[in-house]
Amino acid sequence: MTMRRFNIFLLLFVLFATVARAEWVSGDRAIMGTAVRVELWHEDPRKGAEMVEEVMNEMHRIDALMSTYKEDSEISAVNRDAARSPVSVSDELAKLVVRSLEMSRLTGGAFDVTYASAGYLYDFRARQRPQAGQIEEALEAIDFRLVEVDADHSTIAFRRNGVRIDLGGIAKGYAVERGAAILRGNGIEHGIVTAGGDSRIVGDRRGKPWVVGVRHPRDKQRVITRMPLRDEAISTSGDYERFFEEDGVRYHHIIEPATGRSASAVYSVTIIGPDATMTDGLSTSVFVLGVEAGLSLLEKLPEYEGVIVDNSGAMHYTSGLTAPQ
Ligand code: AMP
Ligand code: MG
């Protein structure tokens, strides 16, 4: 073989090897009390696998910061001490609490991280719930206006005793948004990062949209609708995620701040839009608001659309979506 022919052969071989090896790479992990999945397309599967790991590490980092189950998290320190004096936190946590307070203002208090003042009294796995008297007492500490964030100094203070905060309604969306940013920063053009009911999509699925199914709130085998998505976020909040039933009443993890009890107007809410922190916060909020107030809020946000399954199983769509015929 002449040198020239050899070079062409080598070039073809390298080209073939590169093209042939490009593939979908994915990883699954249990983080933040939920199932985390990362899937991406990469020319070099080994590098792709490293990126999956990088996203997983980011999820662990966010969990360590924001988990109320971890004694040594920043949020646990806030809940322990912020009623006595301002607690220093990372810029990142302060910013996410500020975003949560903005979500409270936007939703007239349906979204409220101080729900946790009563919320911590529930343990859905252990089938535990507070007595009426305990809820009454806790209600005084549910009000987002009791949370004071000093953004310049990154401190958080509570204006009274008994206040607790929990970012569970927004943290997973924030985490998948961060994960997607890592993928984009690494040049990924086709990928998805999911944490439980929250997904952030990067690009398309190589010429096709990503199709995300929304499960039936009372039958996990059934899909009620499929959303074709490109470069978008999707979040679902449902009363089937963490719950127990007692005497025909479903006690679940989305709490109406006004009553300290599980919201019961709807079974599930799915929101799509450009930012996963927003879709996550909005899905929880619209769940609390119910069909009418929920749809009217969404109609004011042109970038966000939603599907609500009410507590009779009927579906409601925002005007930007078409109901399947
Ligand atoms: P999601 O699955 O995104 O709807 O989040 C549900 C989680 O949000 C719960 O497990 C709580 O941690 C938190 N949460 C519950 N009720 C509220 C509320 N009214 N406002 C803000 N967060 C809430
Ligand atoms: Mg949410």
Side-chain angles (χ1 to χ4, degrees), residues 111 168-173 198 235-237 277 279-285:
F111 189 89
I170 202 167
K172 283 186 270 125
D198 301 285
S235 294
T236 296
S237 293
T277 313
T279 57
D280 189 3
L282 281 173
S283 67
T284 311
S285 307

Side-chain angles (χ1 to χ4, degrees), residues 104-184:
S104 298
R105 269 175 228 113
L106 179 70
T107 62
F111 189 89
D112 191 331
V113 289
T114 67
Y115 89 90
S117 308
Y120 91 100
L121 297 165
Y122 293 84
D123 184 336
F124 300 101
R125 223 172 276 163
R127 303 176 65 85
Q128 268 170 28
R129 62 188 177 87
Q131 301 299 311
Q134 289 176 289
I135 296 179
E136 286 312 310
E137 204 176 310
L139 280 182
E140 294 178 15
I142 302 183
D143 184 345
F144 64 92
R145 297 172 202 89
L146 296 170
V147 180
E148 206 173 330
V149 183
D150 180 337
D152 294 333
H153 301 96
S154 280
T155 62
I156 298 176
F158 296 153
R159 295 202 166 92
R160 56 164 292 152
N161 281 327
V163 177
R164 283 167 192 257
I165 59 172
D166 188 316
L167 299 173
I170 202 167
K172 283 186 270 125
Y174 174 73
V176 299
E177 193 63 47
R178 294 277 313 186
I182 288 177
L183 297 188
R184 278 194 304 269

